[in-house]
Amino acid sequence: MQRIAILLSLICMSASALAASPTADEQHFIATLQLGTSPHVRYLDANGRPLDYATFAQTLHERRSYSLTRDTQTDTAVLRLRPAGAHAGEPGRFAFGRGDAFPPFELPSLHGDVQRLGNFHGRYTLISFFFADCEPCNAEVPTLNAYANAHGDMNFVAITFDDAETARGFVSSRGLNWNVLYGGQSLTDTLGVGIYPTLMLIDPSGHIAGAAVGMTMSDDPAKRLADLDSWIAQWKRASSAAAP
């Protein structure tokens, strides 16, 4: 009986390993993503829920498109199906919440380099998603600057789908002193950011601690800063309480 139990256990282990191994079709698809030798790829449906590759591929046969964000240094990528009939720039619903791993990315910075999620590990990171013609985004710049100036223990990064010239013009005219990454359409599509401005707090391990989508703040500058400080403090507390 013991031998039979061991044999059954080995069969189950082999079946699990086989199920976890990518098929030849998936291997060929992953090769087109230009990752490294040990790729890790996540597939999501239009609502941001995880999919297996077979379901993802079947949906692509229905002439659906997807967004892709990746980091070629860590060999990681996240692909999210767009809603039926949607095109680039038309994200699905916002689908990443507290505790979810923030998608990998590599985006150009106005500093002239390329930055990745890993650059911000080890500290809390506040991310502001904006675009140049967004009036509420313009209005929040003084508050964002003031908050960053008062919290030197955090990272601050603003991400836009605008091109470099447009992003640089925004920084110059509005006085935003944050680190700015541009050309981020695929990342915003993958996250489902479709309302601006949106703020997200990332914990030191790269997981989402909190988010404010389409945030609105008081017209009073001091109250704006107090609101933002309160939100960030609440997100940090919740993130620390949920940590193992």
Side-chain angles (χ1 to χ4, degrees):
M1 289 294 292
Q2 185 177 9
R3 289 182 178 179
I4 293 175
I6 293 174
L7 180 59
L8 288 173
S9 176
L10 290 173
I11 291 173
C12 290
M13 290 174 62
S14 297
S16 297
L18 184 61
S21 300
T23 63
D25 182 53
E26 183 177 6
Q27 289 177 339
H28 177 74
F29 177 77
I30 289 176
T32 67
L33 303 180
Q34 299 180 335
L35 301 174
T37 56
S38 303
H40 178 72
V41 180
R42 286 189 288 155
Y43 308 98
L44 307 176
D45 68 12
N47 292 315
R49 294 186 295 258
L51 288 178
D52 57 56
Y53 172 74
T55 305
F56 181 84
Q58 178 59 42
T59 308
L60 290 186
H61 291 319
E62 300 169 3
R63 298 186 179 182
R64 293 279 289 280
S65 62
Y66 61 87
S67 60
L68 162 66
T69 182
R70 64 188 169 189
D71 180 350
T72 56
Q73 281 193 348
T74 59
D75 299 344
T76 54
V78 174
L79 291 75
R80 179 176 175 178
L81 291 167
R82 292 193 175 93
H87 304 286
E90 299 178 55
R93 68 178 182 86
F94 187 75
F96 284 71
R98 181 176 295 131
D100 290 337
F102 196 84
F105 65 84
E106 45 189 14
L107 291 173
S109 164
L110 290 183
H111 296 321
D113 59 348
V114 173
Q115 299 192 357
R116 298 170 171 83
L117 179 62
N119 294 132
F120 306 103
H121 283 174
R123 307 170 93 186
Y124 277 99
T125 298
L126 187 59
I127 301 178
S128 173
F129 291 93
F130 77 99
F131 65 97
D133 292 332
C134 166
E135 284 305 318
C137 302
N138 297 335
E140 75 172 8
V141 168
T143 303
L144 297 183
N145 285 342
Y147 187 86
N149 291 338
H151 295 82
D153 60 335
M154 292 173 60
N155 299 314
F156 298 92
V157 59
I159 298 178
T160 180
F161 56 73
D162 289 328
D163 59 24
E165 182 179 359
T166 304
R168 191 170 288 110
F170 177 90
V171 168
S172 176
S173 64
R174 301 299 175 181
L176 180 65
N177 59 22
W178 285 28
N179 178 18
V180 175
L181 310 184
Y182 61 90
Q185 186 72 68
S186 290
L187 176 60
T188 57
D189 283 359
T190 300
L191 287 165
V193 175
I195 302 175
Y196 294 84
T198 285
L199 279 180
M200 298 183 73
L201 182 69
I202 312 303
D203 72 17
S205 68
H207 291 75
I208 295 169
V213 178
M215 53 181 283
T216 56
M217 292 188 281
S218 165
D219 290 334
D220 176 72
K223 183 63 166 59
R224 278 176 175 253
L225 186 58
D227 287 344
L228 180 58
D229 194 75
S230 176
W231 293 342
I232 302 302
Q234 288 178 30
W235 294 343
K236 284 184 176 180
R237 285 195 298 270
S239 176
S240 297

